[in-house]
Amino acid sequence: MDRLKSKIEKYWNWRSSSYALDIEKSPETEKAWDTTIKTLAKSGQNQDALDIGTGPGQLAFYLAGAGFNVTGVDISSQMIASAQKKAEEMQLGIDFRTGDAEKLDFEDNSFDVIVSRNLIWTLPNPDLALKEWYRVLKPGGRIIVSDGFWSNQTWRRFYEIPINMIKSVFQMKSRISLRFFLHYASMMKHLPLYEGVNKNEVQNLLQHAGFNEVLSWDIGQYFRTNPYEFDMSIRPTFFIVYADK
Ligand SMILES: C[S@@+](CC[C@H](N)C(=O)[O-])C[C@H]1O[C@@H](n2cnc3c(N)ncnc32)[C@H](O)[C@@H]1O
């Protein structure tokens, strides 16, 4: 693994113990994601699904609940360990394994469905990654990608650093954002979508990878509140796009 990827892995290994607490913050959010993933993935029995950048495995769990044979891949061994532990508790047989989203260890045409949430922004080569995902998807298979414009801190917002340092003494959230910034500061120039990614960019990347018609999921219909609890008035929202091979 190259140095950049090792650094990314290191951050997410550290983050693995707290990250699961930050997702699916309410039963309503969980239901909205579950319904969205199951509806978009269509049928599940005897079909193979892959969750790329699975983290603590949440999307993999939804897919397993829909009857898919699920594989979850993540660069962070500790994220994978946490996903495996939860799968055992839930008695779900999911194949969680470490791997790189930009160089997948699967044959061509292996999966009926591929999902990926909040991974693209931290990839050094998102265009290569999407071509790789296209490669491992079966003809007729579906890809579902979600991400957003996260306003990640950059040196342009350096004035927030001392504020965060003071806050971090008291608040876990600020401690995470400070550590996040300090860890990613030397890498951000290598991550073309680090500051955030919008729907059109991902639709273009998917088309470039070979997908023809890339559709957008109407999140307003399913998500009554923003699942990330950002202030919608100052932060643009997240998106979900999907396409068939
Ligand atoms: C923001 S988290 C999202 C986790 C999960 N998809 C979710 O939505 O809950 C990003 C995840 O991508 C993983 N990741 C980062 N770079 C990766 C790469 N090159 N290949 C595979 N996973 C990667 C991280 O380890 C982390 O678990």
Short mmCIF file of all heavy atoms in Angstrom, two decimals, residues 5 8-9 12 19 23 51-59 73-76 79 99-102 116-119 121-124 184 228, ligand 1:
data_model
loop_
_atom_site.label_atom_id
_atom_site.label_comp_id
_atom_site.label_asym_id
_atom_site.label_seq_id
_atom_site.Cartn_x
_atom_site.Cartn_y
_atom_site.Cartn_z
N LYS A 5 -2.25 6.05 1.09
CA LYS A 5 -3.31 5.12 1.52
C LYS A 5 -3.07 4.66 2.95
O LYS A 5 -4.02 4.48 3.72
CB LYS A 5 -3.37 3.92 0.57
CG LYS A 5 -3.75 4.25 -0.87
CD LYS A 5 -5.25 4.15 -1.09
CE LYS A 5 -5.71 4.66 -2.44
NZ LYS A 5 -5.35 3.83 -3.55
N ILE A 8 -4.34 7.31 5.17
CA ILE A 8 -5.80 7.30 5.20
C ILE A 8 -6.28 6.16 6.10
O ILE A 8 -7.16 6.33 6.96
CB ILE A 8 -6.38 7.19 3.77
CG1 ILE A 8 -6.09 8.48 3.00
CG2 ILE A 8 -7.87 6.89 3.80
CD1 ILE A 8 -6.43 8.46 1.53
N GLU A 9 -5.64 5.01 5.95
CA GLU A 9 -6.03 3.87 6.78
C GLU A 9 -5.84 4.18 8.27
O GLU A 9 -6.68 3.87 9.11
CB GLU A 9 -5.23 2.61 6.41
CG GLU A 9 -5.77 1.42 7.16
CD GLU A 9 -4.83 0.24 7.31
OE1 GLU A 9 -3.69 0.31 6.82
OE2 GLU A 9 -5.25 -0.73 7.94
N TRP A 12 -8.64 6.30 9.68
CA TRP A 12 -9.91 5.59 9.85
C TRP A 12 -9.81 4.47 10.88
O TRP A 12 -10.81 4.13 11.52
CB TRP A 12 -10.44 5.11 8.49
CG TRP A 12 -10.89 6.30 7.69
CD1 TRP A 12 -10.22 6.90 6.65
CD2 TRP A 12 -12.06 7.11 7.92
NE1 TRP A 12 -10.90 8.01 6.22
CE2 TRP A 12 -12.03 8.16 6.97
CE3 TRP A 12 -13.11 7.05 8.82
CZ2 TRP A 12 -13.03 9.14 6.90
CZ3 TRP A 12 -14.12 8.02 8.76
CH2 TRP A 12 -14.07 9.04 7.81
N TYR A 19 -16.85 6.14 15.04
CA TYR A 19 -17.60 6.45 13.82
C TYR A 19 -19.00 5.86 13.80
O TYR A 19 -19.96 6.52 13.38
CB TYR A 19 -16.83 5.98 12.58
CG TYR A 19 -17.44 6.50 11.31
CD1 TYR A 19 -17.25 7.82 10.93
CD2 TYR A 19 -18.26 5.71 10.52
CE1 TYR A 19 -17.84 8.33 9.79
CE2 TYR A 19 -18.85 6.20 9.38
CZ TYR A 19 -18.63 7.51 9.01
OH TYR A 19 -19.23 8.02 7.88
N ILE A 23 -23.33 7.63 12.73
CA ILE A 23 -24.19 7.41 11.57
C ILE A 23 -25.55 6.91 12.02
O ILE A 23 -25.70 6.39 13.12
CB ILE A 23 -23.56 6.41 10.57
CG1 ILE A 23 -23.12 5.14 11.30
CG2 ILE A 23 -22.40 7.03 9.82
CD1 ILE A 23 -22.69 4.05 10.36
N ASP A 51 -20.36 -3.69 -0.78
CA ASP A 51 -20.35 -2.34 -0.18
C ASP A 51 -18.90 -1.88 -0.11
O ASP A 51 -18.08 -2.48 0.61
CB ASP A 51 -20.99 -2.41 1.23
CG ASP A 51 -21.02 -1.05 1.92
OD1 ASP A 51 -20.77 -0.02 1.25
OD2 ASP A 51 -21.29 -1.01 3.14
N ILE A 52 -18.58 -0.83 -0.85
CA ILE A 52 -17.18 -0.39 -0.95
C ILE A 52 -16.95 0.79 0.00
O ILE A 52 -17.69 1.77 -0.02
CB ILE A 52 -16.83 0.03 -2.40
CG1 ILE A 52 -17.22 -1.09 -3.37
CG2 ILE A 52 -15.35 0.34 -2.52
CD1 ILE A 52 -16.93 -0.78 -4.83
N GLY A 53 -15.89 0.68 0.81
CA GLY A 53 -15.65 1.68 1.87
C GLY A 53 -16.74 1.49 2.92
O GLY A 53 -17.34 2.45 3.41
N THR A 54 -16.95 0.24 3.30
CA THR A 54 -18.11 -0.13 4.13
C THR A 54 -18.07 0.46 5.53
O THR A 54 -19.09 0.61 6.19
CB THR A 54 -18.22 -1.68 4.18
OG1 THR A 54 -19.43 -2.06 4.82
CG2 THR A 54 -17.05 -2.32 4.91
N GLY A 55 -16.88 0.83 6.03
CA GLY A 55 -16.78 1.38 7.40
C GLY A 55 -17.33 0.37 8.40
O GLY A 55 -17.02 -0.82 8.33
N PRO A 56 -18.20 0.82 9.31
CA PRO A 56 -18.75 -0.12 10.29
C PRO A 56 -19.83 -1.03 9.70
O PRO A 56 -20.47 -1.79 10.44
CB PRO A 56 -19.34 0.79 11.37
CG PRO A 56 -19.19 2.18 10.90
CD PRO A 56 -18.61 2.21 9.52
N GLY A 57 -20.08 -0.93 8.39
CA GLY A 57 -20.88 -1.95 7.71
C GLY A 57 -22.36 -1.67 7.56
O GLY A 57 -23.12 -2.55 7.16
N GLN A 58 -22.79 -0.44 7.81
CA GLN A 58 -24.23 -0.19 7.86
C GLN A 58 -24.97 -0.54 6.57
O GLN A 58 -26.00 -1.21 6.60
CB GLN A 58 -24.47 1.27 8.23
CG GLN A 58 -25.88 1.56 8.69
CD GLN A 58 -26.31 0.75 9.91
OE1 GLN A 58 -25.60 0.71 10.89
NE2 GLN A 58 -27.45 0.09 9.83
N LEU A 59 -24.45 -0.12 5.41
CA LEU A 59 -25.15 -0.42 4.16
C LEU A 59 -25.12 -1.93 3.88
O LEU A 59 -26.08 -2.49 3.35
CB LEU A 59 -24.55 0.34 2.97
CG LEU A 59 -24.61 1.87 3.00
CD1 LEU A 59 -24.30 2.43 1.62
CD2 LEU A 59 -25.94 2.40 3.48
N VAL A 73 -16.00 -4.16 1.79
CA VAL A 73 -14.55 -3.92 1.68
C VAL A 73 -14.21 -2.57 2.29
O VAL A 73 -14.93 -1.59 2.08
CB VAL A 73 -14.13 -3.93 0.19
CG1 VAL A 73 -12.70 -3.47 0.03
CG2 VAL A 73 -14.28 -5.31 -0.40
N ASP A 74 -13.12 -2.52 3.03
CA ASP A 74 -12.66 -1.23 3.56
C ASP A 74 -11.14 -1.28 3.72
O ASP A 74 -10.57 -2.34 4.00
CB ASP A 74 -13.31 -0.94 4.92
CG ASP A 74 -13.25 0.54 5.26
OD1 ASP A 74 -12.18 1.03 5.64
OD2 ASP A 74 -14.30 1.23 5.13
N ILE A 75 -10.53 -0.11 3.57
CA ILE A 75 -9.07 -0.04 3.69
C ILE A 75 -8.63 -0.16 5.15
O ILE A 75 -7.50 -0.56 5.43
CB ILE A 75 -8.56 1.28 3.07
CG1 ILE A 75 -7.11 1.15 2.65
CG2 ILE A 75 -8.75 2.47 4.00
CD1 ILE A 75 -6.66 2.19 1.66
N SER A 76 -9.53 0.14 6.06
CA SER A 76 -9.18 0.15 7.49
C SER A 76 -9.48 -1.19 8.15
O SER A 76 -10.64 -1.62 8.22
CB SER A 76 -9.96 1.27 8.18
OG SER A 76 -10.13 0.98 9.54
N MET A 79 -11.94 -0.78 11.03
CA MET A 79 -13.34 -0.63 10.61
C MET A 79 -13.90 -2.02 10.30
O MET A 79 -15.03 -2.36 10.67
CB MET A 79 -13.45 0.25 9.37
CG MET A 79 -13.36 1.72 9.63
SD MET A 79 -14.86 2.34 10.45
CE MET A 79 -14.61 4.10 10.27
N GLY A 99 -9.46 -4.03 1.85
CA GLY A 99 -9.14 -3.91 0.43
C GLY A 99 -9.20 -2.45 0.02
O GLY A 99 -9.70 -1.60 0.75
N ASP A 100 -8.65 -2.19 -1.16
CA ASP A 100 -8.58 -0.83 -1.68
C ASP A 100 -9.64 -0.63 -2.77
O ASP A 100 -9.66 -1.36 -3.77
CB ASP A 100 -7.16 -0.61 -2.25
CG ASP A 100 -6.97 0.82 -2.75
OD1 ASP A 100 -7.94 1.61 -2.77
OD2 ASP A 100 -5.83 1.12 -3.14
N ALA A 101 -10.46 0.39 -2.58
CA ALA A 101 -11.55 0.69 -3.53
C ALA A 101 -11.03 0.96 -4.94
O ALA A 101 -11.76 0.82 -5.91
CB ALA A 101 -12.31 1.92 -3.04
N GLU A 102 -9.76 1.37 -5.05
CA GLU A 102 -9.22 1.71 -6.37
C GLU A 102 -8.55 0.51 -7.04
O GLU A 102 -8.11 0.61 -8.19
CB GLU A 102 -8.21 2.86 -6.23
CG GLU A 102 -8.88 4.13 -5.72
CD GLU A 102 -7.96 5.33 -5.65
OE1 GLU A 102 -6.73 5.17 -5.68
OE2 GLU A 102 -8.50 6.44 -5.56
N SER A 116 -21.87 2.41 -2.35
CA SER A 116 -20.75 3.10 -1.68
C SER A 116 -21.25 4.43 -1.14
O SER A 116 -21.85 5.22 -1.87
CB SER A 116 -19.61 3.32 -2.67
OG SER A 116 -18.51 3.85 -1.96
N ARG A 117 -21.01 4.65 0.15
CA ARG A 117 -21.49 5.89 0.77
C ARG A 117 -20.31 6.64 1.41
O ARG A 117 -19.56 6.07 2.21
CB ARG A 117 -22.55 5.55 1.82
CG ARG A 117 -23.22 6.77 2.43
CD ARG A 117 -24.36 6.40 3.37
NE ARG A 117 -23.91 5.76 4.57
CZ ARG A 117 -24.71 5.38 5.58
NH1 ARG A 117 -26.02 5.57 5.49
NH2 ARG A 117 -24.23 4.81 6.65
N ASN A 118 -20.18 7.88 1.04
CA ASN A 118 -19.21 8.79 1.68
C ASN A 118 -17.77 8.31 1.60
O ASN A 118 -16.99 8.48 2.54
CB ASN A 118 -19.61 9.06 3.14
CG ASN A 118 -20.98 9.67 3.23
OD1 ASN A 118 -21.48 10.21 2.25
ND2 ASN A 118 -21.61 9.57 4.38
N LEU A 119 -17.42 7.74 0.48
CA LEU A 119 -16.05 7.29 0.26
C LEU A 119 -15.33 8.13 -0.80
O LEU A 119 -14.14 8.44 -0.65
CB LEU A 119 -16.06 5.81 -0.18
CG LEU A 119 -14.78 5.27 -0.82
CD1 LEU A 119 -13.64 5.26 0.20
CD2 LEU A 119 -14.98 3.88 -1.38
N TRP A 121 -15.02 11.14 -1.70
CA TRP A 121 -14.31 12.38 -1.36
C TRP A 121 -12.90 12.11 -0.85
O TRP A 121 -12.03 12.97 -0.92
CB TRP A 121 -15.12 13.18 -0.32
CG TRP A 121 -15.20 12.48 1.01
CD1 TRP A 121 -16.17 11.61 1.40
CD2 TRP A 121 -14.26 12.55 2.07
NE1 TRP A 121 -15.88 11.12 2.66
CE2 TRP A 121 -14.72 11.69 3.10
CE3 TRP A 121 -13.07 13.24 2.28
CZ2 TRP A 121 -14.05 11.50 4.31
CZ3 TRP A 121 -12.39 13.06 3.49
CH2 TRP A 121 -12.88 12.20 4.48
N THR A 122 -12.66 10.91 -0.31
CA THR A 122 -11.32 10.63 0.26
C THR A 122 -10.47 9.72 -0.63
O THR A 122 -9.48 9.14 -0.19
CB THR A 122 -11.44 10.08 1.70
OG1 THR A 122 -10.13 9.88 2.25
CG2 THR A 122 -12.20 8.80 1.79
N LEU A 123 -10.84 9.63 -1.92
CA LEU A 123 -10.04 8.80 -2.84
C LEU A 123 -9.07 9.67 -3.64
O LEU A 123 -9.47 10.71 -4.16
CB LEU A 123 -10.96 8.06 -3.82
CG LEU A 123 -11.86 6.98 -3.23
CD1 LEU A 123 -12.77 6.41 -4.32
CD2 LEU A 123 -11.04 5.87 -2.58
N PRO A 124 -7.82 9.23 -3.78
CA PRO A 124 -6.87 9.99 -4.61
C PRO A 124 -7.23 9.95 -6.09
O PRO A 124 -6.96 10.90 -6.82
CB PRO A 124 -5.52 9.27 -4.38
CG PRO A 124 -5.72 8.39 -3.19
CD PRO A 124 -7.19 8.12 -3.07
N TYR A 184 -5.58 15.01 7.78
CA TYR A 184 -5.79 15.15 6.34
C TYR A 184 -5.03 16.34 5.73
O TYR A 184 -4.92 16.43 4.51
CB TYR A 184 -7.29 15.27 6.03
CG TYR A 184 -7.95 13.93 5.72
CD1 TYR A 184 -8.37 13.08 6.72
CD2 TYR A 184 -8.12 13.51 4.41
CE1 TYR A 184 -8.97 11.85 6.43
CE2 TYR A 184 -8.71 12.28 4.10
CZ TYR A 184 -9.14 11.47 5.13
OH TYR A 184 -9.72 10.25 4.82
N TYR A 228 -27.40 13.88 8.34
CA TYR A 228 -26.12 14.28 8.92
C TYR A 228 -26.26 15.44 9.91
O TYR A 228 -25.29 15.92 10.45
CB TYR A 228 -25.13 14.62 7.81
CG TYR A 228 -24.94 13.44 6.89
CD1 TYR A 228 -25.51 13.41 5.63
CD2 TYR A 228 -24.25 12.31 7.33
CE1 TYR A 228 -25.39 12.30 4.81
CE2 TYR A 228 -24.12 11.21 6.51
CZ TYR A 228 -24.69 11.21 5.25
OH TYR A 228 -24.56 10.11 4.45
C1 LIG B 1 -16.76 8.40 5.83
S1 LIG B 1 -16.45 6.69 6.05
C2 LIG B 1 -17.93 5.97 5.37
C3 LIG B 1 -18.23 4.57 5.90
C4 LIG B 1 -19.52 3.93 5.40
N1 LIG B 1 -19.56 3.81 3.96
C5 LIG B 1 -20.72 4.67 5.89
O1 LIG B 1 -21.35 5.39 5.10
O2 LIG B 1 -21.05 4.56 7.07
C6 LIG B 1 -15.26 6.37 4.77
C7 LIG B 1 -14.74 4.96 4.78
O3 LIG B 1 -13.98 4.75 3.60
C8 LIG B 1 -12.84 3.97 3.93
N2 LIG B 1 -11.82 4.17 2.89
C9 LIG B 1 -11.05 5.25 2.67
N3 LIG B 1 -10.26 5.07 1.59
C10 LIG B 1 -10.52 3.83 1.13
C11 LIG B 1 -10.02 3.05 0.04
N4 LIG B 1 -9.08 3.51 -0.81
N5 LIG B 1 -10.54 1.82 -0.13
C12 LIG B 1 -11.48 1.31 0.69
N6 LIG B 1 -11.98 1.99 1.75
C13 LIG B 1 -11.52 3.25 1.95
C14 LIG B 1 -12.46 4.45 5.31
O4 LIG B 1 -11.64 3.53 5.99
C15 LIG B 1 -13.82 4.64 5.96
O5 LIG B 1 -14.26 3.48 6.61
#
